Structure formats: structure tokens, C-alpha cells
Amino acid sequence: MSATVNETLIRDVVAEVLGRLGGVSATAPVTTPAAASPAVNPACGCPAGKTTSSAKAASRGKCGVFADANEACVAAHEAYLQLSEAGVAGRRKVVELIKEICYAKAEEWGRLELAETRIGRLDHKIEKLQGQRGIPGVEFLNPYGLSGDHGITLEEYAPFGVIGAITPSTHSIPTMACNIISMVAAGNAAVFNAHPGAYKCAVTAARYFNQAIQHELGIENLACIVEPPTLESFNAIAKNELVKLLCVTGGPGVVQAAMASGKRAVCAGPGNPPVLVDGTSCLDNAAKCIVFGAAYDNNLLCIGEKEVFVLEPYFDKLMAALEKHGAFRLNNSQIETLAKAAFVFPPGQGAGCPHPVVNRDLIGKDPEVLAKVAGVTIPRGTQLLIGETTADHIFVEEEQMMPFLPVVRVKSVAEGVVASKKAEHGYKHSAMIHSHDVANMTAMGKALETTLFIKNGSCLAGLGSGGEGYSNFSIATTTGEGICNPRTFTRVRRCVMVDKLRIF
Ligand code: NAD
């Protein structure tokens, strides 16, 4: 008999004995300790008896890591009830713990994620974990109060319960960590399905988080994760009735899958952020910001500068400034050689007009790797490759997620705005302008309708690094919630006191 069978058998026997001691059979539903008396948990509306004693017993000692997605949902629901008991102080403690752990483990986990995914840059992976300190917590949830002749009304931000979360390959641990901070600050528990190419590091981090939470607060399985993640486990999470909300961070495929699930979903979808340079502002600053943003983590950020449109008279100056700030310019034939390797056309797709797919082997790779493919040797320390292309070039049209940035000449601001809008594909994600002309800024902002619109800064200024504001790695572009924060993961509930309690 295998060890797994023995473990399952032992669990079932223990559950059966515990069930009989309690006067109920092990398979009959029993209430959780946190929801001892009511048949329905008033906080989430879930039947309190949903957690069977055998499922509870099976979740013991897992530290949040589950092979079975449904089991993870049950355990997370139990944790959610425990968190409700722990109150706001409990949530605050969890938020502090996640932030402290991410800061302390930034280098170790940055290396772990890079070793597993082989995409991006270690220095930026470390920064993304240290930066969790800037994610908003419990303090973000200020209730909205009304006071008038008819008394007092309070609108409060209440939790959903269990949230199913899908994380990308591009920032696996950072997305999971900031999701936990936002979701738990709002009183929820979570079940994660990570990217199959980036899940091992996420499992390590989740286990550590859960151990720390249990040690400090006695709550088990507050941030569960499925190991290994599959499409089946995604479907199980999406279908599980204990999961009240989905939060997906990724490309078009997962957004479509989440929308089709029938469950309410917060969708942080793809982008292809354009930059417009009109020559009215400092070109050197524009170049510095563009190199910083596009080179960040080898251009893995969804908000990262992916193509530049510059007014013709300023093209040469901007190219020179980009080179000064660490970019290396490819010539036409090098760009075409790189493009041939960077995009693949899967057979059978597109019937005569095949749709290109970014070659995963080059996503997030260092500039040296891309340069080698392009057939050129570049100086050590090069941050980014750049090159002139047309507006309809594949590098402009596709979200390449690698450190090659196409730069396109345009004749007017109007042409630049139209080209930017086309390249952005209506994702309404992010866009940048370098300009001191308010009319140009306004025209681009109105035309593109992006969630983030940054003027005279790098894309990272949109997430609080060099600009005002808070940070998060899930930017709900598709469904419109914007940069995720604790309020994103709440239900608004109104409490009305008629004619009384107003003190004047
Ligand atoms: P991806 O779409 O390949 O994967 C994202 C997640 O979705 C993974 O966990 C993956 O396993 C899952 N997934 C993919 N297709 C699925 C399907 N049909 N059903 C269920 N699950 C599915 O993306 P990626 O390469 O990991 O990440 C890069 C993409 O994510 C880019 O498009 C980028 O712009 C986007 N992104 C967006 C944000 C944002 O906040 N808006 C943040 C990070 C990344």
C-alpha cells in the first residue's frame, strides 16, 4: 500500500472517530468552530455546514498547499471564517507579515523565481518583492458615512469570502503577495492557481506565508495554492460555490476563460503600452524614462513601454539620448533577423493570415541574448535594444515582452495619437507621453482611454515609483476596477439607522 493511501486512510479514520465523538457521522456536514451556531454564515452567505469534518481533517498540516483545488477552496473558506473571528487586528497582522516576509526573503525568492522561470532580471525581481511594502492594506477601507434629518447611514466595505486568483509567469510571487495583501486586508481568503511555468516558487512562498500566519494567528490555509496548477484546477476553482469572486492577472486567454466562467471576475489583462514624444519636453528626460521603464525586468511589465512614436524632427536626438542612457541601436537587417526569431506562426492558425505568437524562448531574456540572435555583439551593461521600424511592424503590433523597443517616426501629434491607439489595441491598459503641451496630453488621454496615463515619467511612475500613488501588480484593465487595492475585493453593504443617532 502506498504512503498516500495510508495517509488518506488515517485521515478518514480520524475524521470518522471525531465525527462519532461529536455525535454525527464523518460524512454528515458539521459546522466549523467559527460558525458554530448559525446555519448560514452571515458574513458570506455560505452554508456553515459546507465544511465536512473529513474535508477539514484533510486540510490539516497542508500549509496552504493542495493537490486538489476543491479541497483548497474548503480549507480557504474555513480560514476565511477564522479571519473574520480575528477581526481587523488579525487582517492588519497578516498584511504586516506578508510585507515583512517579502522584504526579508526578496533576494532568496527573487533568485528562486528567476531560476524557475528564466525570464527577467534578478535586481528587479528583488525590487518587486521589496516593493510589497507599498501595497495598501486595511487603512484603505474607510467606510462612507451619511448624516441627515433621517438619521445615519453607513456604507461599509465587506469581504466576499474566498477569492480564486490566477497569477502570471511574469511576476509570480510578487502578484501572489500583493493579491494576498489586498484580499486579506479586505477580510477574504484566497486560492491561487499559478502559471505552470512559475508555480514552484509560488508554492514555496505560499507555504512560508501560511506557516507564518498560522504561527502568529493560529489561522491555517488563508492563502491556498494548488500544486501543480492545471486548466482543470482553474475550472474547479472557477466552479466551486465557495469561491465568490475571481481575480485573474494575465493575457487574453485567461481573461476570456474567467469571463466565460459565469463568476464575477476582476480581470487584469494584457497591454501594449505606447509612448508618444512630441519634442516639447526634455528629450534627455524622455529617453532616461523610456530606457528605465522598457528595460525593467527585461520588459516583462504589462505597463512597460512597448513602442515609441516620436515627431520626425526629434527622432535623431531621441535615438542619441536613448543610446546615451544605455540603449543599443540595431540596424534594419538586425531588427528583421530578431523579428523572425521573436515571433512564431503556429500552424493551422489564421488560415492564410496567420496570427503571430511571441516566441516564449525569447520573452524576458537579457539584451545580450536578443543581440546574439540579431547577429550583433553589444557592450556589457546594455539595458535595452532599440531600432527604427514602421508603425505596422510586428514589434509595434505585438506585446513582445522582451528588451527590444521599436521607435517610429510620425509627422504630427495627431498621427502619433492614431498610431498609439492602434498599437494599444483597445486594451485600455497604459500609455505614456513626453510633452509640455497640455493640448497634446489631453488629446492622447482622451483618445486612448487607458487605465494608466503617465506624463513625463517612466511607466513605473504609474505604480508609485517616481510618481504619486500606490502600487499593485494586478491592474484591472479589462473589467475597469483599475489598480487593485483592498477595496477591489469588497462588497459594499449599507447600514441605515432611521431618524436616530445623529448627534445634532
Ligand atoms: P498567460 O496569459 O500565459 O498566463 C496568465 C495566467 O493565466 C497563468 O496562470 C496561466 O496558467 C493562466 N491561463 C492562461 N490561459 C488560461 C486559460 N485558457 N484558462 C485558465 N487559465 C489560463 O500570461 P503570462 O505570460 O503569464 O503573463 C503575461 C501576460 O499577462 C501579458 O499579456 C501581460 O500584459 C499580462 N499581465 C497583465 C497584468 C495586469 O495587471 N493587467 C499584470 C501582469 C501581466
Side-chain angles (χ1 to χ4, degrees), residues 98-100 102-104 128-136 181:
I98 304 293
K99 290 184 181 187
E100 275 169 27
C102 285
Y103 196 82
K128 290 195 288 186
L129 285 164
Q130 291 173 335
Q132 298 290 325
R133 283 179 163 183
I135 308 289
I181 291 170

Side-chain angles (χ1 to χ4, degrees), residues 295-316:
Y296 200 88
D297 214 11
N298 284 339
N299 210 350
L300 287 182
L301 294 180
C302 58
I303 57 169
E305 288 83 352
K306 295 289 190 296
E307 60 276 331
V308 178
F309 300 97
V310 53
L311 259 67
E312 187 132 37
Y314 308 102
F315 181 88
D316 291 336

Side-chain angles (χ1 to χ4, degrees), residues 136-496:
V138 174
E139 72 286 351
F140 213 84
L141 299 171
N142 294 319
Y144 173 61
L146 289 165
S147 172
D149 293 343
H150 280 301
I152 298 243
T153 288
L154 196 63
E155 285 187 349
E156 297 216 74
Y157 298 104
F160 274 93
V162 179
I163 300 175
I166 316 301
T167 51
S169 60
T170 45
H171 343 277
S172 187
I173 305 178
T175 308
M176 181 175 72
C178 71
N179 280 178
I180 297 173
I181 291 170
S182 308
M183 291 168 186
V184 171
N188 305 285
V191 177
F192 287 89
N193 212 45
H195 190 285
Y199 80 89
K200 290 181 188 145
C201 57
V203 164
T204 301
R207 187 175 280 124
Y208 200 94
F209 289 147
N210 282 293
Q211 280 167 343
I213 295 166
Q214 184 169 7
H215 181 260
E216 288 288 323
L217 289 132
I219 302 175
E220 285 183 89
N221 306 314
L222 192 58
C224 296
I225 188 164
V226 183
E227 182 190 32
T230 58
L231 281 183
E232 288 70 37
S233 56
F234 166 82
N235 285 327
I237 292 169
K239 283 203 185 93
N240 193 296
E241 63 176 22
L242 293 171
V243 175
K244 302 296 178 196
L245 178 71
L246 293 176
C247 172
V248 309
T249 306
V254 71
V255 168
Q256 224 173 4
M259 301 279 227
S261 71
K263 195 149 279 180
R264 195 190 142 203
V266 171
C267 296
N272 193 33
V275 187
L276 180 58
V277 180
D278 71 2
T280 60
S281 65
C282 172
L283 286 180
D284 191 67
N285 182 59
K288 189 171 146 201
C289 295
I290 291 168
V291 172
F292 180 63
Y296 200 88
D297 214 11
N298 284 339
N299 210 350
L300 287 182
L301 294 180
C302 58
I303 57 169
E305 288 83 352
K306 295 289 190 296
E307 60 276 331
V308 178
F309 300 97
V310 53
L311 259 67
E312 187 132 37
Y314 308 102
F315 181 88
D316 291 336
K317 267 194 187 159
L318 181 72
M319 292 304 262
L322 289 166
E323 287 177 274
K324 180 187 143 199
H325 285 288
F328 182 91
R329 185 170 177 177
L330 299 185
N331 64 29
N332 279 352
S333 86
Q334 289 159 349
I335 294 170
E336 292 320 311
T337 309
L338 180 61
K340 275 201 187 82
F343 300 95
V344 289
F345 295 84
Q349 275 190 20
C353 179
H355 183 72
V357 173
V358 185
N359 179 1
R360 287 227 161 237
D361 291 346
L362 292 184
I363 287 180
K365 292 295 186 249
D366 291 338
E368 289 77 19
V369 175
L370 302 192
K372 203 169 169 198
V373 171
V376 60
T377 308
I378 57 172
R380 271 177 86 90
T382 297
Q383 299 292 302
L384 181 71
L385 303 182
I386 54 169
E388 181 177 4
T389 72
T390 53
D392 59 357
H393 195 275
I394 194 165
F395 265 123
V396 174
E397 301 231 311
E398 298 299 318
E399 186 194 17
Q400 75 269 29
M401 293 187 284
M402 60 185 77
F404 170 75
L405 188 68
V407 185
V408 180
R409 296 171 200 254
V410 288
K411 290 199 166 48
S412 64
V413 168
E415 184 189 328
V417 169
V418 169
S420 296
K421 189 174 168 69
K422 185 166 175 273
E424 216 274 325
H425 301 300
Y427 290 140
K428 301 192 177 173
H429 198 298
S430 302
M432 277 62 68
I433 189 169
H434 291 273
S435 170
H436 280 169
D437 186 309
V438 174
N440 293 347
M441 295 175 190
T442 310
M444 186 168 181
K446 278 190 176 179
L448 271 77
E449 301 179 87
T450 48
T451 307
L452 285 174
F453 184 41
I454 297 127
K455 295 140 198 124
N456 303 321
S458 87
C459 65
L460 283 135
L463 293 185
S465 178
E468 291 302 320
Y470 58 89
S471 177
N472 202 286
F473 288 98
S474 293
I475 302 156
T477 46
T478 321
T479 44
E481 292 82 358
I483 296 131
C484 288
N485 61 59
R487 227 158 34 213
T488 312
F489 304 107
T490 60
R491 303 162 51 220
V492 180
R493 296 178 60 194
R494 180 178 283 195
C495 192
V496 180

